[in-house]
């Protein structure tokens, strides 16, 4: 099932980018040094996040479940990790 | 996401909060113990190892010993037999029959299960222990080999409340979790837009609200799935089957069971030889692609004997298979659906999915690790939700007290769970009754945590003390394991007991993380909110759902 973890890792990259340049996150963090991602780029990145899961669907349901569980917990971890400091 | 009127949002938020706070403490306990119970097999192998590594599935070359032991069992107690692995990979061979108690013609004696349980070292194929007696005694002997894992599993499954009441309670808790997940989803208006927004640089209550909402949002689908499947397991046998028997079969539970699980074969009490277990295991392995980890059979040594091998999910699958064999010749008879019915059906397919979705054990350590993370997130959501709810009302004395209780459960439960191995190891070393020793350690830790939670000057101080104590307790677990006769790391390495070393390292890592949180961390945002909002009358109007 390492293929599922690899797919989750692949999904984590665009997910991190999405979070890093997320408009609302940047606004509440007071980050004005970079422009937030446009909605088109965000849509594209979202697709990139989901594609590995879609590919896994042709492999096995177990792999999809592992990928989904890993991506959701990684997404939470990214949100926590990128939260502005006090 | 879903547009609701302000009034409706308030109602749903009230349902979300009150359902969570009323049963949230118990729900948190069920989630925490469930998170640990994901690794119940590994906990058993770590806490009570043999001199060699536990094998995947049933060990090879067991036929001669199983038949030799089976022949020693009184034929009256061979109605059912089971072959399975327990803590440390011990091979357990169990025979059960019915013992009729004294009675007369008008008042026939009640029947109780009675049997023999053999505990076998699968590496040397030597008999470690033999227990004969009623079902409760066999149960106690079986639990003794897997005491630590069983303690957590029982706490998760029924909160150690006797059946069926414990199952009812956890079933209701599952429903409450579903309600919380659905209402939480409905009241959160900016589900996608705020997916990465945790305002840790803002007011304390806002921070805590974000921490709760974001963790809940990310893990929402799995929270729902885990709650639904958990409720299913609690209610299926305690309520579902009797209710179905009542409605469909006029209260005839035996008929209902036969319909759901299949009719037993025609009775034939003629003595007959017993099938070769090694051959059955080999055939099941070849047929399903995975080595069986459980065999259940009926009428050992009789012509109508059958045995059913259960195999785990093959690589890529979610569910295993269960071929049925003749208990006399070992001939393959048919492939039985794992859960219900005699032939493949949509109902069985759906029901069979419940176990992998709930236990996360369908792909070994990888899926278990992911399910552990999901369980951890669920516990975090439950705890931050309760802290948020009580801290928002911290200007009222009753809610301040409730806040302390939430601290007791939230930070005290991990401590009590970390102390339970102390009781287990000490009990095994000194020969005390294991369950008593476990409850003593667990109870003393719970009492100490309660004193700290209620007596500390501030809630933050209570949290710090409990987290730090949990850290030290976790660091001490490997030492206590070793001091009470467990293998050292060198011995474990040479015996191939990697689970022992890995378990110790995980305990130590958990301890270091707790001490780090105590020393450098600032606790949850909700806890901070409690500090900021501790004076009566002070509230934060900016915080909304």
């Amino acid at each position: 099932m390492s293929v599922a973890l690899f797919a989750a890792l692949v999904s984590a990259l665009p997910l991190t980018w999405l979070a890093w340049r997320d408009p609302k996150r940047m606004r509440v963090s007071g980050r004005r040094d970079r422009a937030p991602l446009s909605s088109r780029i965000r849509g594209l990145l979202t697709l990139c996040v989901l594609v590995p899961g879609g590919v896994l669907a042709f492999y096995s349901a177990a792999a999809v479940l592992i990928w989904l569980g890993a991506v959701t917990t990684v997404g939470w971890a990214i949100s926590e990790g990128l939260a502005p400091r006090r | 996401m879903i547009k609701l009127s302000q009034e409706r949002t308030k109602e749903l938020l009230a349902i979300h909060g009150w359902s969570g706070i009323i049963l949230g403490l118990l729900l948190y306990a069920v989630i925490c113990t469930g998170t640990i119970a994901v690794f119940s097999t590994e906990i058993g192998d770590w806490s009570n190892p043999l001199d060699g590594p536990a094998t995947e599935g049933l060990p090879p070359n067991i036929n001669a010993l199983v038949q030799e032991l089976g022949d020693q069992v009184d034929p009256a107690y061979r109605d059912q037999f089971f072959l399975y692995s327990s803590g440390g990979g011990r091979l357990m061979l169990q025979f059960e029959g019915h013992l009729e108690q004294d009675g007369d013609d008008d008042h026939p004696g009640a029947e109780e299960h009675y049997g023999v349980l053999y505990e076998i070292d699968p590496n040397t194929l030597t008999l470690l222990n033999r227990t004969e007696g009623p079902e409760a005694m066999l149960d106690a002997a079986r639990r003794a080999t897997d005491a630590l894992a069983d303690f957590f599993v029982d706490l998760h499954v029924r909160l150690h409340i006797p059946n069926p009441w414990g199952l009812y309670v956890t079933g209701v808790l599952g429903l409450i979790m579903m309600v919380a997940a659905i209402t939480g989803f409905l009241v959160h208006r900016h589900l996608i837009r705020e997916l990465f927004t945790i305002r840790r640089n803002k007011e304390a209550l806002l921070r805590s609200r974000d921490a709760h909402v974001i963790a809940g949002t990310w893990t929402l689908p799995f929270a729902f799935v885990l709650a639904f499947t958990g409720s299913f397991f609690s209610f299926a046998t305690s309520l579902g089957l009797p209710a179905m028997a009542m409605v469909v079969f006029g209260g005839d539970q035996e008929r209902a069971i036969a319909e759901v699980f299949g009719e037993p074969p025609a009775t034939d009490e003629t003595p007959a030889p017993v099938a070769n277990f090694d051959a059955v295991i080999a055939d099941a392995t070849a047929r399903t692609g995975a080595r069986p980890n459980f065999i259940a059979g009926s009428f050992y040594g009789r012509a109508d004997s059958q045995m059913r091998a259960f195999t785990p999910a093959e690589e890529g699958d979610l569910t295993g298979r269960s071929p049925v064999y003749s208990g006399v010749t070992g001939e393959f008879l048919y492939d039985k659906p794992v859960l219900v019915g005699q032939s493949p059906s949509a109902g069985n397919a759906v029901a069979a999915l419940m176990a992998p979705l709930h236990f996360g054990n369908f792909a070994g350590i990888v899926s278990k690790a992911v399910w552990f993370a999901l369980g951890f997130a669920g516990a975090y959501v439950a705890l931050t939700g309760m802290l948020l709810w009580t801290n928002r009302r911290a200007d009222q004395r009753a809610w301040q007290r409730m806040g302390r209780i939430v601290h007791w459960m939230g930070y005290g439960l991990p401590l009590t769970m970390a102390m339970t191995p102390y009781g287990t190891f000490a009990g095994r070393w000194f020969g005390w009754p294991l369950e008593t020793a476990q409850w003593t350690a667990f109870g003393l830790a719970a009492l100490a945590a309660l004193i700290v939670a209620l007596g500390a000057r501030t809630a933050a101080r209570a949290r710090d003390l409990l987290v730090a104590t949990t850290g030290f307790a976790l660091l001490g677990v490997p030492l206590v394991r070793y001091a009470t006769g467990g293998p050292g790391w060198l011995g474990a390495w040479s015996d191939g007991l990697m689970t022992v070393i890995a378990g110790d390292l995980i305990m130590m890592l958990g301890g270091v993380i707790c001490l780090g949180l105590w020393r450098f961390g600032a606790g949850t945002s909700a806890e901070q909110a409690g500090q900021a909002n501790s004076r009566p009358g002070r509230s934060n109007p900016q915080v909304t759902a």
Side-chain angles (χ1 to χ4, degrees):
Chain A
M1 279 300 125
S2 45
V3 65
L5 287 185
F6 178 73
L9 191 69
V10 171
S11 292
L13 298 175
L15 193 61
T16 309
W17 194 4
L18 260 174
W20 178 246
R21 303 281 290 277
D22 178 68
K24 176 122 197 212
R25 193 196 72 80
M26 292 183 78
R27 194 164 64 243
V28 301
S29 311
R31 299 295 300 266
R32 302 190 199 288
D33 49 339
R34 289 184 195 84
L37 293 172
S38 66
S39 57
R40 199 164 144 205
I41 298 288
R42 275 187 284 142
L44 202 64
L45 285 172
T46 306
L47 196 67
C48 290
V49 171
L50 298 176
V51 161
V55 172
L56 282 178
F58 294 99
Y59 178 67
S60 81
V64 173
L65 270 178
I66 292 172
W67 169 83
L68 190 59
V71 166
T72 51
T73 44
V74 165
W76 172 45
I78 291 171
S79 303
E80 282 284 345
L82 294 181
R85 302 291 107 188
R86 271 174 229 149
Chain B
M1 287 293 282
I2 296 173
K3 277 209 162 185
L4 295 170
S5 67
Q6 204 173 9
E7 201 60 32
R8 182 56 54 87
T9 302
K10 273 185 181 171
E11 285 170 10
L12 285 174
L13 190 61
I15 294 171
H16 181 79
W18 281 107
S19 62
I21 200 71
I22 288 173
L23 289 172
L25 294 173
L26 291 178
L27 181 59
Y28 174 75
V30 169
I31 297 173
C32 273
T33 48
T35 303
I36 299 299
V38 167
F39 289 112
S40 59
T41 306
E42 288 74 15
I43 290 172
D45 294 344
W46 166 76
S47 62
N48 194 18
L50 290 169
D51 289 336
T55 52
E56 285 271 322
L58 294 170
N61 306 318
I62 56 173
N63 181 60
L65 180 63
V66 169
Q67 299 232 6
E68 183 191 330
L69 296 173
D71 291 344
Q72 295 170 15
V73 176
D74 186 329
Y77 310 129
R78 293 183 190 166
D79 288 1
Q80 294 171 303
F81 60 96
F82 309 96
L83 203 53
Y84 53 94
S85 292
S86 189
R90 286 164 175 76
L91 178 64
M92 310 299 277
L93 173 61
Q94 185 168 342
F95 291 89
E96 270 190 34
H98 293 92
L99 181 71
E100 198 163 329
Q101 293 174 331
D102 290 341
D104 52 44
D105 291 344
D106 293 332
H107 305 91
E111 282 190 338
E112 82 168 319
H113 279 253
Y114 187 95
V116 181
L117 176 68
Y118 294 106
E119 181 188 333
I120 300 161
D121 183 334
N123 303 302
T124 59
L125 292 180
T126 49
L127 185 63
L128 299 171
N129 197 16
R130 180 186 187 278
T131 308
E132 179 169 348
E135 193 178 19
M137 191 185 283
L138 303 184
D139 233 22
R142 182 194 56 74
R143 292 169 68 97
T145 63
D146 216 359
L148 186 58
D150 262 13
F151 186 86
F152 292 133
V153 169
D154 250 17
L155 199 52
H156 172 66
V157 171
R158 55 190 179 95
L159 291 167
H160 284 285
I161 302 170
N163 282 333
W165 303 105
L167 291 173
Y168 292 160
V169 172
T170 51
V172 169
L173 291 173
L175 295 178
I176 290 287
M177 189 168 159
M178 273 196 282
V179 168
I182 292 168
T183 50
F185 170 72
L186 290 174
V187 298
H188 189 22
R189 281 167 292 178
H190 308 294
L191 198 72
I192 301 296
R193 204 191 303 167
E194 294 186 350
L195 208 47
F196 302 105
T197 308
I198 299 179
R199 288 162 285 194
R200 208 175 277 150
N201 53 346
K202 303 287 182 187
E203 296 80 12
L205 273 175
L206 206 52
R207 291 201 300 266
S208 62
R209 177 261 183 204
D210 285 350
H212 171 69
V213 167
I214 297 305
T217 304
W218 275 106
T219 54
L220 185 69
F222 281 95
F224 187 84
V225 166
L226 293 173
F228 180 82
T229 50
S231 246
F232 170 84
F233 281 117
S234 286
F235 285 136
T237 51
S238 66
L239 203 63
L241 198 59
M244 185 182 66
M246 189 71 73
V247 174
V248 184
F249 300 97
D252 185 348
Q253 287 206 31
E254 281 187 14
R255 182 76 209 128
I257 288 170
E259 201 68 35
V260 173
F261 298 112
E263 294 277 2
T267 303
D268 184 351
E269 297 183 15
T270 313
V274 177
N276 186 312
F277 283 85
D278 292 330
V280 167
I281 290 171
D283 184 85
T285 307
R287 201 173 285 280
T288 66
R291 197 170 176 81
N293 51 16
F294 188 89
I295 286 181
S298 56
F299 306 118
Y300 182 96
R302 274 174 37 174
D304 54 356
S305 174
Q306 285 191 350
M307 54 175 89
R308 189 176 172 195
F310 291 81
T311 62
E314 208 186 340
E315 167 88 16
D317 288 346
L318 285 173
T319 56
R321 287 171 57 186
S322 63
V324 178
Y325 295 86
S326 159
V328 179
T329 61
E331 177 197 0
F332 168 74
L333 298 178
Y334 62 100
D335 235 336
K336 191 170 177 168
V338 175
L339 221 57
V340 293
Q342 296 297 299
S343 53
S345 65
N348 176 71
V350 172
L353 278 178
M354 298 290 173
L357 286 177
H358 191 75
F359 305 131
N361 58 358
F362 51 87
I365 208 78
V366 173
S367 56
K368 286 182 181 184
V370 171
W371 254 243
F372 175 86
L374 291 167
F376 180 83
Y380 181 86
V381 173
L383 178 59
T384 50
M386 286 188 292
L387 288 171
L388 180 61
W389 187 263
T390 51
N391 286 331
R392 273 181 176 164
R393 292 154 182 79
D395 53 352
Q396 298 167 45
R397 186 174 279 275
W399 284 110
Q400 285 173 8
R401 287 192 186 128
M402 185 62 191
R404 290 301 182 103
I405 297 294
V406 171
H407 274 76
W408 170 56
M409 183 61 95
Y411 301 105
L413 182 67
L415 173 63
T416 58
M417 289 168 69
M419 290 304 293
T420 308
Y422 286 75
T424 312
F425 294 136
R428 197 168 277 139
W429 181 247
F430 293 111
W432 299 332
L434 275 183
E435 214 166 343
T436 310
Q438 287 177 318
W439 273 114
T440 305
F442 186 90
L444 287 175
L447 184 65
L450 183 64
I451 292 169
V452 169
L454 296 181
R457 194 166 44 82
T458 63
R461 180 86 183 126
R463 181 208 65 217
D464 284 349
L465 275 170
L466 291 172
V467 170
T469 315
T470 305
F472 286 119
L474 285 171
L475 284 177
V477 168
L479 293 174
V480 174
R481 186 191 61 73
Y482 179 64
T484 52
W489 282 9
L490 285 178
W493 183 274
S494 63
D495 284 340
L497 299 173
M498 295 309 152
T499 312
V500 171
I501 300 172
D504 283 354
L505 288 173
I506 287 169
M507 291 286 164
M508 291 161 72
L509 179 67
V512 169
I513 290 173
C514 285
L515 292 177
L517 285 173
W518 163 58
R519 190 70 187 84
F520 305 109
T524 67
S525 306
E527 216 292 326
Q528 296 291 316
Q531 291 290 298
N533 202 20
S534 57
R535 272 171 288 166
R538 184 171 174 185
S539 60
N540 189 338
Q542 292 183 42
V543 179
T544 61

mmCIF file of all heavy atoms in Angstrom, chain B residues 403-422:
data_model
loop_
_atom_site.group_PDB
_atom_site.id
_atom_site.type_symbol
_atom_site.label_atom_id
_atom_site.label_comp_id
_atom_site.label_asym_id
_atom_site.label_seq_id
_atom_site.Cartn_x
_atom_site.Cartn_y
_atom_site.Cartn_z
ATOM 1 N N GLY B 403 -15.772 23.093 32.771
ATOM 2 C CA GLY B 403 -14.489 23.248 32.077
ATOM 3 C C GLY B 403 -13.390 22.443 32.750
ATOM 4 O O GLY B 403 -12.552 21.827 32.080
ATOM 5 N N ARG B 404 -13.401 22.447 34.074
ATOM 6 C CA ARG B 404 -12.394 21.652 34.794
ATOM 7 C C ARG B 404 -12.606 20.149 34.537
ATOM 8 O O ARG B 404 -11.645 19.387 34.420
ATOM 9 C CB ARG B 404 -12.472 21.942 36.295
ATOM 10 C CG ARG B 404 -11.988 23.339 36.688
ATOM 11 C CD ARG B 404 -10.546 23.556 36.267
ATOM 12 N NE ARG B 404 -10.065 24.852 36.666
ATOM 13 C CZ ARG B 404 -9.254 25.072 37.707
ATOM 14 N NH1 ARG B 404 -8.829 24.061 38.435
ATOM 15 N NH2 ARG B 404 -8.854 26.286 37.991
ATOM 16 N N ILE B 405 -13.877 19.745 34.488
ATOM 17 C CA ILE B 405 -14.172 18.331 34.213
ATOM 18 C C ILE B 405 -13.685 17.966 32.804
ATOM 19 O O ILE B 405 -13.140 16.877 32.579
ATOM 20 C CB ILE B 405 -15.690 18.038 34.351
ATOM 21 C CG1 ILE B 405 -16.151 18.291 35.777
ATOM 22 C CG2 ILE B 405 -16.032 16.621 33.922
ATOM 23 C CD1 ILE B 405 -15.562 17.348 36.805
ATOM 24 N N VAL B 406 -13.896 18.896 31.873
ATOM 25 C CA VAL B 406 -13.416 18.644 30.500
ATOM 26 C C VAL B 406 -11.887 18.515 30.505
ATOM 27 O O VAL B 406 -11.322 17.654 29.832
ATOM 28 C CB VAL B 406 -13.869 19.776 29.549
ATOM 29 C CG1 VAL B 406 -13.188 19.644 28.189
ATOM 30 C CG2 VAL B 406 -15.380 19.752 29.365
ATOM 31 N N HIS B 407 -11.223 19.350 31.298
ATOM 32 C CA HIS B 407 -9.764 19.233 31.419
ATOM 33 C C HIS B 407 -9.372 17.884 32.014
ATOM 34 O O HIS B 407 -8.395 17.265 31.592
ATOM 35 C CB HIS B 407 -9.208 20.364 32.300
ATOM 36 C CG HIS B 407 -8.927 21.612 31.535
ATOM 37 N ND1 HIS B 407 -9.930 22.464 31.112
ATOM 38 C CD2 HIS B 407 -7.774 22.140 31.079
ATOM 39 C CE1 HIS B 407 -9.390 23.465 30.447
ATOM 40 N NE2 HIS B 407 -8.094 23.302 30.413
ATOM 41 N N TRP B 408 -10.135 17.477 33.017
ATOM 42 C CA TRP B 408 -9.850 16.180 33.648
ATOM 43 C C TRP B 408 -9.914 15.061 32.610
ATOM 44 O O TRP B 408 -8.992 14.239 32.501
ATOM 45 C CB TRP B 408 -10.865 15.931 34.776
ATOM 46 C CG TRP B 408 -10.826 14.546 35.327
ATOM 47 C CD1 TRP B 408 -9.739 13.898 35.852
ATOM 48 C CD2 TRP B 408 -11.902 13.612 35.387
ATOM 49 N NE1 TRP B 408 -10.082 12.639 36.251
ATOM 50 C CE2 TRP B 408 -11.404 12.437 35.979
ATOM 51 C CE3 TRP B 408 -13.253 13.658 35.030
ATOM 52 C CZ2 TRP B 408 -12.207 11.310 36.203
ATOM 53 C CZ3 TRP B 408 -14.047 12.548 35.253
ATOM 54 C CH2 TRP B 408 -13.521 11.396 35.831
ATOM 55 N N MET B 409 -11.014 15.045 31.854
ATOM 56 C CA MET B 409 -11.162 13.978 30.864
ATOM 57 C C MET B 409 -10.183 14.176 29.709
ATOM 58 O O MET B 409 -9.511 13.232 29.271
ATOM 59 C CB MET B 409 -12.603 13.958 30.334
ATOM 60 C CG MET B 409 -12.891 12.854 29.348
ATOM 61 S SD MET B 409 -12.663 11.213 30.046
ATOM 62 C CE MET B 409 -14.332 10.832 30.552
ATOM 63 N N GLY B 410 -10.089 15.408 29.221
ATOM 64 C CA GLY B 410 -9.288 15.681 28.035
ATOM 65 C C GLY B 410 -7.819 15.381 28.221
ATOM 66 O O GLY B 410 -7.178 14.774 27.356
ATOM 67 N N TYR B 411 -7.256 15.807 29.340
ATOM 68 C CA TYR B 411 -5.818 15.612 29.564
ATOM 69 C C TYR B 411 -5.539 14.477 30.551
ATOM 70 O O TYR B 411 -4.420 13.981 30.616
ATOM 71 C CB TYR B 411 -5.187 16.917 30.050
ATOM 72 C CG TYR B 411 -5.377 18.038 29.060
ATOM 73 C CD1 TYR B 411 -6.299 19.052 29.282
ATOM 74 C CD2 TYR B 411 -4.665 18.047 27.859
ATOM 75 C CE1 TYR B 411 -6.494 20.064 28.341
ATOM 76 C CE2 TYR B 411 -4.859 19.046 26.921
ATOM 77 C CZ TYR B 411 -5.776 20.052 27.166
ATOM 78 O OH TYR B 411 -5.970 21.030 26.228
ATOM 79 N N GLY B 412 -6.572 14.097 31.324
ATOM 80 C CA GLY B 412 -6.385 13.009 32.283
ATOM 81 C C GLY B 412 -6.511 11.638 31.644
ATOM 82 O O GLY B 412 -5.815 10.700 32.046
ATOM 83 N N LEU B 413 -7.370 11.523 30.628
ATOM 84 C CA LEU B 413 -7.543 10.203 30.003
ATOM 85 C C LEU B 413 -6.241 9.686 29.379
ATOM 86 O O LEU B 413 -5.887 8.512 29.585
ATOM 87 C CB LEU B 413 -8.675 10.246 28.966
ATOM 88 C CG LEU B 413 -8.965 8.906 28.302
ATOM 89 C CD1 LEU B 413 -9.529 7.895 29.291
ATOM 90 C CD2 LEU B 413 -9.942 9.055 27.134
ATOM 91 N N PRO B 414 -5.518 10.513 28.621
ATOM 92 C CA PRO B 414 -4.224 10.008 28.110
ATOM 93 C C PRO B 414 -3.303 9.543 29.246
ATOM 94 O O PRO B 414 -2.572 8.554 29.092
ATOM 95 C CB PRO B 414 -3.631 11.221 27.384
ATOM 96 C CG PRO B 414 -4.825 12.016 26.965
ATOM 97 C CD PRO B 414 -5.817 11.849 28.073
ATOM 98 N N LEU B 415 -3.357 10.244 30.376
ATOM 99 C CA LEU B 415 -2.520 9.817 31.511
ATOM 100 C C LEU B 415 -2.972 8.453 32.033
ATOM 101 O O LEU B 415 -2.146 7.564 32.273
ATOM 102 C CB LEU B 415 -2.593 10.867 32.633
ATOM 103 C CG LEU B 415 -1.910 10.467 33.945
ATOM 104 C CD1 LEU B 415 -0.418 10.268 33.739
ATOM 105 C CD2 LEU B 415 -2.155 11.519 35.024
ATOM 106 N N THR B 416 -4.270 8.281 32.207
ATOM 107 C CA THR B 416 -4.759 6.986 32.714
ATOM 108 C C THR B 416 -4.432 5.860 31.738
ATOM 109 O O THR B 416 -4.102 4.746 32.151
ATOM 110 C CB THR B 416 -6.279 7.025 32.950
ATOM 111 O OG1 THR B 416 -6.920 7.369 31.728
ATOM 112 C CG2 THR B 416 -6.668 8.021 34.013
ATOM 113 N N MET B 417 -4.506 6.183 30.434
ATOM 114 C CA MET B 417 -4.175 5.152 29.438
ATOM 115 C C MET B 417 -2.682 4.831 29.468
ATOM 116 O O MET B 417 -2.278 3.686 29.262
ATOM 117 C CB MET B 417 -4.617 5.606 28.045
ATOM 118 C CG MET B 417 -6.139 5.605 27.891
ATOM 119 S SD MET B 417 -6.709 6.445 26.421
ATOM 120 C CE MET B 417 -6.141 5.360 25.151
ATOM 121 N N ALA B 418 -1.872 5.860 29.724
ATOM 122 C CA ALA B 418 -0.420 5.616 29.819
ATOM 123 C C ALA B 418 -0.074 4.825 31.069
ATOM 124 O O ALA B 418 0.938 4.117 31.095
ATOM 125 C CB ALA B 418 0.326 6.953 29.823
ATOM 126 N N MET B 419 -0.902 4.923 32.103
ATOM 127 C CA MET B 419 -0.625 4.202 33.354
ATOM 128 C C MET B 419 -1.118 2.760 33.310
ATOM 129 O O MET B 419 -0.653 1.923 34.089
ATOM 130 C CB MET B 419 -1.274 4.929 34.535
ATOM 131 C CG MET B 419 -0.635 6.264 34.899
ATOM 132 S SD MET B 419 1.119 6.125 35.257
ATOM 133 C CE MET B 419 1.078 5.161 36.760
ATOM 134 N N THR B 420 -2.050 2.453 32.423
ATOM 135 C CA THR B 420 -2.613 1.098 32.381
ATOM 136 C C THR B 420 -1.546 0.021 32.144
ATOM 137 O O THR B 420 -1.595 -1.040 32.778
ATOM 138 C CB THR B 420 -3.726 1.010 31.319
ATOM 139 O OG1 THR B 420 -4.657 2.066 31.564
ATOM 140 C CG2 THR B 420 -4.461 -0.311 31.379
ATOM 141 N N PRO B 421 -0.551 0.246 31.253
ATOM 142 C CA PRO B 421 0.497 -0.785 31.109
ATOM 143 C C PRO B 421 1.238 -1.062 32.416
ATOM 144 O O PRO B 421 1.669 -2.198 32.644
ATOM 145 C CB PRO B 421 1.449 -0.176 30.067
ATOM 146 C CG PRO B 421 0.640 0.816 29.325
ATOM 147 C CD PRO B 421 -0.373 1.334 30.283
ATOM 148 N N TYR B 422 1.372 -0.036 33.268
ATOM 149 C CA TYR B 422 2.043 -0.266 34.558
ATOM 150 C C TYR B 422 1.287 -1.345 35.336
ATOM 151 O O TYR B 422 1.896 -2.264 35.895
ATOM 152 C CB TYR B 422 2.079 1.029 35.382
ATOM 153 C CG TYR B 422 3.074 2.062 34.888
ATOM 154 C CD1 TYR B 422 2.816 2.808 33.755
ATOM 155 C CD2 TYR B 422 4.262 2.302 35.566
ATOM 156 C CE1 TYR B 422 3.711 3.756 33.291
ATOM 157 C CE2 TYR B 422 5.171 3.249 35.123
ATOM 158 C CZ TYR B 422 4.894 3.986 33.985
ATOM 159 O OH TYR B 422 5.789 4.914 33.534
#
